[in-house]
Amino acid sequence: MRKLLQNKRLLTAILAVINIGIIFYYTICDTGCLYLKGDLAGLDLTYAGALLMLLLLLLIVLNKPILSLTLLSVGVGGEIFLVVFQIKHATYCPYCLAFGVILLAMLAINFNKRQIPLMALSLLLGLLVFLFAFSGSVTPAYAGESPPATFGSGPVRVRLYTDYFCVPCRAVEPEIEAVLTDLLQKNAIRLTLVDTPVHKETPLYARYFLYLLQENQADFAQAFQMRGALFEAASQKINTPAALEDFLAKKGLKFKPYDVMATFKTMDSYIREDKIRSTPSCVVIGLKGKEVLVGGASIIKGLKGILEPAREKKSP
């Protein structure tokens, strides 16, 4: 019997360490589930979960089986609430679910028939704590603090995919910019600029472009000027944050750092949705449906054609 109890304690401790590992992986992995965000009375759920597991490990070391069972039951009650929350919003976090499954397994390992009333009350306590102390949010844009750079409110949606280190992108940018400016001034399009990480240095530039927008609340004309500066920096092969910040300072451009990972996720979803394989590329969604344009000449021709249906209607 003693050996069985010792095995339960050891297995529970191992599973607790695995759960801590899941939390750690979630915090360092840039593919973490950003759809689901929440806190418990102001404490981020990742910290709450880690604290739960550390307390459990302490109780195991101190050989407190009843308190361990109580803590596990409270945790399972909280996990039930989180699962219902995810089902309600049809948004699922694989890390949260894995953590919950392991937590449930630990409760099953430590199950005690004589402690069913205590387990039930503790589980209910966990539910109530989350009911009154949990604050969470779910958004379809990976919980984005801000969307990608989007301008205009016209009927035709345009997504432009470029890379600051792409030589053809740099060469055709002025002409594309001129056409886009005309379309935006005529309120013909809703433009989304998607920095596409074909080159390894591009995420750095994409980050600072968003920083620039955040600080300056730029309109599309200012945004194009900022892009022009970044294209120039890329042509000089600037590839470190310090060097890029120094370059922007010399240009008189101010920026405001913030967490851009959610926006990166949204851009990534656009890249996958539109099946972008090269830059420059452009997606036009209008009366003709969805059209993918690849290459500078094709993009310019397609963008110029956006106003053609309107011109045809005006023709006698």
Side-chain angles (χ1 to χ4, degrees):
M1 182 67 177
R2 181 179 297 176
K3 186 175 181 180
L4 178 61
L5 290 174
Q6 288 176 342
N7 287 338
K8 282 185 177 182
R9 289 171 61 198
L10 177 61
L11 184 55
T12 303
I14 291 172
L15 291 176
V17 171
I18 291 174
N19 258 354
I20 291 174
I22 289 174
I23 294 170
F24 176 74
Y25 183 76
Y26 170 79
T27 60
I28 65 170
C29 180
D30 64 3
T31 58
C33 51
L34 294 173
Y35 252 109
L36 176 63
K37 280 192 171 184
D39 62 74
L40 197 61
L43 181 65
D44 189 280
L45 285 182
T46 55
Y47 297 122
L51 180 61
L52 180 72
M53 292 298 98
L54 289 173
L55 285 175
L56 179 62
L57 286 172
L58 178 61
L59 293 174
I60 292 172
V61 171
L62 296 176
N63 193 19
K64 302 291 184 181
I66 302 302
L67 289 177
S68 296
L69 186 62
T70 301
L71 188 64
L72 284 169
S73 300
V74 170
V76 168
E79 282 297 325
I80 291 173
F81 179 93
L82 290 175
V83 169
V84 172
F85 179 84
Q86 293 178 69
I87 292 173
K88 179 181 177 181
H89 293 280
T91 301
Y92 304 96
C93 169
Y95 299 97
C96 303
L97 295 176
F99 184 94
V101 168
I102 292 175
L103 195 63
L104 187 61
M106 287 191 284
L107 182 62
I109 291 169
N110 292 273
F111 179 79
N112 188 329
K113 286 184 178 180
R114 288 180 292 183
Q115 301 298 334
I116 287 179
L118 175 64
M119 292 170 61
L121 287 173
S122 300
L123 191 147
L124 179 60
L125 175 62
L127 279 170
L128 291 174
V129 168
F130 270 76
L131 181 62
F132 291 105
F134 174 77
S135 175
S137 64
V138 179
T139 68
Y142 295 88
E145 287 83 356
S146 63
T150 300
F151 308 93
S153 57
V156 178
R157 285 179 290 162
V158 173
R159 291 199 281 263
L160 179 65
Y161 296 90
T162 55
D163 182 310
Y164 296 107
F165 289 83
C166 165
V167 175
C169 294
R170 189 187 313 151
V172 79
E173 176 76 5
E175 192 171 355
I176 290 179
E177 178 185 317
V179 179
L180 289 174
T181 297
D182 181 49
L183 292 170
L184 286 165
Q185 289 175 340
K186 294 175 179 176
N187 199 31
I189 63 172
R190 175 178 169 82
L191 171 66
T192 300
L193 300 172
V194 185
D195 292 327
T196 313
V198 175
H199 295 79
K200 65 180 181 179
E201 299 90 351
T202 303
L204 170 66
Y205 279 63
R207 183 182 300 274
Y208 275 85
F209 179 55
L210 293 173
Y211 289 174
L212 288 165
L213 293 178
Q214 181 79 358
E215 171 63 23
N216 299 282
Q217 299 297 309
D219 59 19
F220 65 84
Q222 292 172 310
F224 288 147
Q225 290 175 0
M226 294 169 184
R227 280 167 57 85
L230 290 171
F231 272 113
E232 182 182 342
S235 70
Q236 297 179 19
K237 302 187 185 306
I238 294 174
N239 58 11
T240 66
L244 185 56
E245 288 180 10
D246 183 61
F247 176 87
L248 294 175
K250 290 178 180 177
K251 290 284 185 180
L253 295 173
K254 296 180 180 180
F255 55 88
K256 182 179 180 180
Y258 71 105
D259 184 2
V260 300
M261 190 56 67
T263 307
F264 278 4
K265 291 296 183 182
T266 305
M267 290 195 290
D268 184 57
S269 71
Y270 285 151
I271 293 169
R272 291 197 306 270
E273 177 187 336
D274 295 334
K275 297 180 173 61
I276 300 302
R277 297 289 181 268
S278 63
T279 56
S281 292
C282 184
V283 171
V284 178
I285 306 173
L287 296 175
K288 298 178 182 179
K290 183 174 181 179
E291 185 179 10
V292 180
L293 309 170
V294 180
S298 177
I299 292 172
I300 293 168
K301 181 179 179 181
L303 291 176
K304 287 182 176 179
I306 289 175
L307 293 177
E308 289 181 358
R311 294 195 185 103
E312 291 173 0
K313 287 182 180 179
K314 291 181 180 180
S315 299

